[in-house]
Amino acid sequence: MQPDAAQRPTLADVAARAGVSQSTASLAFSGSGPVSDATKQRVLAAASDLGYAGPDPRARSLRRGRSGIVGVVLEERVRAAFLDPVKIQMLDGISEGIAPLGAGLLLLTDTGETDESAVSIESAPVDAVVLVGCSPRLGVSIEALRRRGIPAVAIEGDTGEDIPEISIDNLQATRRGAEYLRQLGHTDVAIVTLPFDAARTRGPLTEELLRSSTAATASQRLAGAREIFPEATGRAAAASSIEEGIEAARALLADPASRPTAIIAQSDLLAAGVIQAAEELGMHVPGDVSVLGFDGIRVDGLQHDLTTLAQPSVAKGRAAGEAVVQMLSGEPPESRCFTSTLHVGDTTAPPRAAC
Amino acid sequence: MQPDAAQRPTLADVAARAGVSQSTASLAFSGSGPVSDATKQRVLAAASDLGYAGPDPRARSLRRGRSGIVGVVLEERVRAAFLDPVKIQMLDGISEGIAPLGAGLLLLTDTGETDESAVSIESAPVDAVVLVGCSPRLGVSIEALRRRGIPAVAIEGDTGEDIPEISIDNLQATRRGAEYLRQLGHTDVAIVTLPFDAARTRGPLTEELLRSSTAATASQRLAGAREIFPEATGRAAAASSIEEGIEAARALLADPASRPTAIIAQSDLLAAGVIQAAEELGMHVPGDVSVLGFDGIRVDGLQHDLTTLAQPSVAKGRAAGEAVVQMLSGEPPESRCFTSTLHVGDTTAPPRAAC
DNA sequence: ATCGCCGATCGAATCGATTCGGCCTAGACT
DNA sequence: AGTCTAGGCCGAATCGATTCGATCGGCGAT
């Protein structure tokens, strides 16, 4: 109505110009329905004349009830997540798994802040959601998802709900790794764990910390190790990073009199940190201390072939993506548990004979 | 109407239950408008009773005309992009830059396929778009963006349109690096470039290839090098990866009689590949050949401190994000050009005296 | 020659929320 | 006491497309 510059043309405008009804114009675009070729061409021509760029995705998604977007919820901020190779591999797997949907991937972070008007897990136009390594801290958000009827899949996160879960044999894998260390002759083993709680408390493994654990992954891996080394103690890191590994190892190796002969790290990044700290202290790996990792990634700058429990990260992501596809097509969701394999590198060896 | 299980409650249902009009209920949620506290509580209570999870983002975005989502267009598939540390850093910067919007990041890839019904750059519910290292192959898509009136910012991509661009001093930086090599005494220098065209043609730098170049970044860096070494030739890689660097270097170093004394790689990953290939051939870096990279990232597994032109990747991403925020608030977009700095590591040295 | 059928098109309802203009009432001001 | 003001709330239009059911020719079958 107003001489207001360029009101963007709508489907109605196109239809009018092509001399057809709006419904026909819609069909010409979406292709779902019988439209004569001539009409279709006419509509397309009109659209082109008007500079119409195709149906508005917002209106379309409102009507269709689908947005064509799958959300990926990362517990950390984007920066942190991208620094973790495991996360990236999963992301890649997810994008592969949902490929048949032709859907986009929306990065969501569970920062805990409930910013008004911000696009959060509770208010994002997504058709489904993949929770990557999320703690139950997400309880509220998950509840919102359930209410909104948005299907969700969790990767390595004990959601405690009826959400299908893609996981690995954390406990058994770690036990296998620990068993290997015992076979090498180790008896004095320390553990560097992933964070146990939302606060990411860093420090010694106290009973209290374990009791308050909300991170299944860390707990399970610890349990697996303790099935072999019941007395094993250690430290919890505040994140899965080299930095944190260094920090933890410095504490564990501080006193030359009480040094363990092997350290089980719950991630390769932590393991890399442990190795670095050990070497800084003049220790030799695996001569003075064996180091076992978890993940099976290549760690930036690490000069060793890490002995580790290799997990199929990409496959996990893909499985999650496939589960999303299933759920969206009405099939019942399906949890899956993958198996990790022990990769023996050059960071483990029999303990140096006590002198 | 139907006894159909649980039709999800809508704002209208909530309003009815709370005994207020729909408009009031809306105001109670969005908070924009005068609503008495009592009424608000009543609405919230009704919502809670009904299990209403808040306004539907699809409807909201249709009405508001904003979706709260910013698209990031990567030229490669997600997997490939995530393997490039520079891209990840930029992504991180972007997410930092758009933080004030509270917007989500939608990953879009320019695969070239125009999948029907797939969420692509041409049909995604985004408020703005950041093009990361995109070639003009995107022409069609960019045209669509323009028609849809979606603001866009380009990072290191010559869009040829009126899109604000975030870039770095590719030419000058490379010239500085080349100059440094010349000062060391090098005269026989080869270059390993990024892809020049959409086809990612791999092979020798022919005049024809350069003429048909659609990649400004590669062209500019090459031009910078040639300002110092006009005769320098080399090879184009098909991607920025260690693999491609190896491939290119093998070709360049194949003939012991015509080996250059230095190689300028247009990315650190390529440089890492070059070094690896050289060492495989029994050559010593920097003894037998100096290697100069570009980017300033830490390369996985590289045992050298690469001499490289460090660019502020995160800052670039952040600038792009900030530009998006500006454009969305109506301010005119603003192009920016950052400066790279020469980091001298241990991969460059004077050429071995000819015997 | 007539009936039935199918494909092309059209009208109108719908998706779910936001928002503008108007109405009403209670308190304030003179 | 009368009127003005403003807060609080409501109705209804609107965002832009999709889709169901109805309509209307035209063509093959009987």
Side-chain angles (χ1 to χ4, degrees):
Chain A
M1 279 308 157
Q2 307 169 54
D4 190 314
Q7 196 69 10
R8 244 152 248 311
T10 72
L11 189 56
D13 300 328
V14 174
R17 188 171 224 275
V20 299
S21 79
Q22 204 181 130
S23 26
T24 303
S26 172
L27 294 187
F29 274 103
S30 66
S32 55
V35 182
S36 77
D37 232 32
T39 310
K40 188 165 179 175
Q41 292 311 321
R42 202 143 39 86
V43 172
L44 261 33
S48 164
D49 287 354
L50 263 42
Y52 179 70
D56 184 321
R58 288 179 288 253
R60 177 203 288 262
S61 74
L62 169 58
R63 185 63 241 241
R64 294 236 247 234
R66 288 247 178 129
S67 64
I69 294 182
V70 173
V72 178
V73 182
L74 304 166
E75 198 165 15
E76 316 140 299
R77 48 172 305 195
V78 174
R79 144 175 285 154
F82 286 160
L83 288 180
D84 186 346
V86 176
K87 294 262 165 68
I88 291 182
Q89 289 186 9
M90 288 184 191
L91 217 49
D92 186 39
I94 294 173
S95 104
E96 210 174 307
I98 65 166
L101 290 179
L105 236 38
L106 181 65
L107 263 30
L108 259 17
T109 49
D110 166 39
T111 53
E113 328 159 7
T114 315
D115 251 351
E116 266 312 310
S117 84
V119 170
S120 69
I121 183 177
E122 322 196 4
S123 73
V126 292
D127 295 338
V129 156
V130 179
L131 305 160
V132 179
C134 296
S135 64
R137 176 155 68 100
L138 276 177
V140 199
S141 305
I142 291 180
E143 173 60 17
L145 285 181
R146 214 172 46 66
R147 281 211 294 242
R148 288 175 60 197
I150 295 181
V153 182
I155 299 185
E156 290 296 324
D158 57 333
T159 58
E161 312 267 334
D162 52 356
I163 293 179
E165 199 171 325
I166 309 294
S167 55
I168 54 171
D169 53 345
N170 282 305
L171 191 150
Q172 295 80 357
T174 307
R175 187 179 51 209
R176 270 201 308 283
E179 211 150 30
Y180 172 69
L181 287 178
R182 189 181 53 184
Q183 280 169 13
L184 286 177
H186 291 276
T187 52
D188 192 3
V189 172
I191 304 175
V192 178
T193 77
L194 294 169
F196 276 100
D197 52 15
R200 300 173 168 278
T201 312
R202 176 195 296 136
L205 293 183
T206 63
E207 283 311 312
E208 183 196 352
L209 182 61
L210 301 193
R211 257 198 312 281
S212 71
S213 166
T214 57
T217 305
S219 297
Q220 289 168 3
R221 293 186 188 171
L222 177 60
R226 286 201 167 159
E227 283 194 7
I228 306 298
F229 301 108
E231 307 298 322
T233 181
R235 294 179 66 85
S240 176
S241 71
I242 297 182
E243 206 65 40
E244 285 291 328
I246 293 175
E247 145 81 30
R250 280 191 185 140
L252 290 175
L253 302 174
D255 179 7
S258 66
R259 283 179 181 162
T261 63
I263 294 182
I264 297 179
Q266 291 193 341
S267 85
D268 283 355
L269 290 178
L270 288 173
V274 168
I275 293 174
Q276 193 169 320
E279 292 179 339
E280 273 175 12
L281 289 172
M283 300 175 70
H284 196 71
V285 176
D288 297 319
V289 61
S290 287
V291 178
L292 173 66
F294 203 121
D295 285 341
I297 57 168
R298 299 206 54 203
V299 178
D300 186 10
L302 182 62
Q303 322 250 340
H304 290 270
D305 174 16
L306 190 62
T307 296
T308 191
L309 293 153
Q311 61 164 314
S313 306
V314 177
K316 277 166 71 183
R318 187 166 39 229
E322 286 163 359
V324 163
V325 174
Q326 279 179 16
M327 295 176 82
L328 286 180
S329 58
E331 295 168 44
E334 177 183 306
S335 289
R336 290 187 60 181
C337 185
F338 287 86
T339 304
S340 311
T341 59
L342 175 64
H343 165 81
V344 177
D346 60 21
T347 59
T348 43
R352 177 158 297 179
C355 42
Chain B
M1 279 306 160
Q2 307 169 53
D4 189 314
Q7 196 70 10
R8 242 151 252 311
T10 71
L11 189 57
D13 300 329
V14 174
R17 188 172 225 275
V20 300
S21 79
Q22 204 181 129
S23 26
T24 304
S26 172
L27 294 186
F29 273 102
S30 66
S32 54
V35 182
S36 77
D37 232 33
T39 309
K40 188 164 178 176
Q41 292 310 321
R42 202 142 40 86
V43 172
L44 261 30
S48 163
D49 287 354
L50 262 41
Y52 178 71
D56 183 321
R58 288 178 289 251
R60 176 203 290 262
S61 74
L62 170 59
R63 186 64 242 243
R64 295 236 248 230
R66 286 242 179 138
S67 63
I69 295 181
V70 172
V72 178
V73 182
L74 304 167
E75 199 165 15
E76 314 142 298
R77 47 172 305 193
V78 174
R79 145 175 284 155
F82 287 161
L83 289 180
D84 186 347
V86 176
K87 294 263 165 68
I88 292 182
Q89 289 186 9
M90 288 182 191
L91 216 50
D92 185 39
I94 293 172
S95 103
E96 210 174 306
I98 65 167
L101 289 180
L105 234 39
L106 181 63
L107 262 31
L108 259 16
T109 51
D110 167 39
T111 55
E113 328 158 7
T114 316
D115 251 351
E116 266 310 312
S117 85
V119 170
S120 68
I121 181 177
E122 324 198 3
S123 73
V126 292
D127 294 338
V129 157
V130 179
L131 304 160
V132 179
C134 295
S135 65
R137 175 156 70 97
L138 274 179
V140 199
S141 306
I142 291 180
E143 172 59 18
L145 285 181
R146 215 173 44 67
R147 281 211 292 245
R148 288 175 61 197
I150 296 181
V153 182
I155 298 185
E156 289 297 322
D158 57 332
T159 57
E161 312 268 336
D162 52 354
I163 294 179
E165 199 171 326
I166 309 296
S167 55
I168 54 170
D169 53 346
N170 283 303
L171 192 150
Q172 295 78 357
T174 308
R175 187 179 51 209
R176 269 201 308 281
E179 211 150 31
Y180 172 68
L181 288 178
R182 189 182 55 185
Q183 280 169 12
L184 287 177
H186 292 276
T187 53
D188 191 2
V189 171
I191 304 175
V192 178
T193 77
L194 295 169
F196 276 101
D197 53 15
R200 300 174 166 278
T201 313
R202 175 196 296 136
L205 293 183
T206 64
E207 283 310 313
E208 185 197 348
L209 181 62
L210 301 192
R211 259 198 311 280
S212 71
S213 165
T214 57
T217 305
S219 297
Q220 290 168 2
R221 292 185 189 172
L222 177 61
R226 286 203 167 156
E227 283 194 8
I228 306 299
F229 302 108
E231 306 297 322
T233 181
R235 293 179 66 85
S240 177
S241 71
I242 297 182
E243 207 64 42
E244 286 291 327
I246 293 175
E247 145 81 30
R250 280 191 185 139
L252 291 174
L253 302 174
D255 180 6
S258 66
R259 283 179 180 162
T261 62
I263 294 183
I264 298 179
Q266 291 193 342
S267 85
D268 283 355
L269 289 178
L270 287 173
V274 168
I275 293 173
Q276 194 169 321
E279 293 179 341
E280 272 174 14
L281 289 172
M283 300 175 70
H284 196 72
V285 176
D288 298 317
V289 62
S290 286
V291 177
L292 173 66
F294 203 119
D295 283 342
I297 57 169
R298 299 207 54 200
V299 178
D300 187 10
L302 182 62
Q303 321 249 339
H304 291 270
D305 175 16
L306 191 61
T307 296
T308 191
L309 294 152
Q311 62 164 314
S313 304
V314 177
K316 277 165 71 182
R318 187 167 38 227
E322 286 163 359
V324 162
V325 174
Q326 279 178 17
M327 294 177 83
L328 285 180
S329 59
E331 296 168 43
E334 177 183 308
S335 289
R336 290 187 59 182
C337 186
F338 287 86
T339 304
S340 311
T341 59
L342 176 64
H343 165 79
V344 177
D346 60 22
T347 61
T348 44
R352 176 156 301 178
C355 42

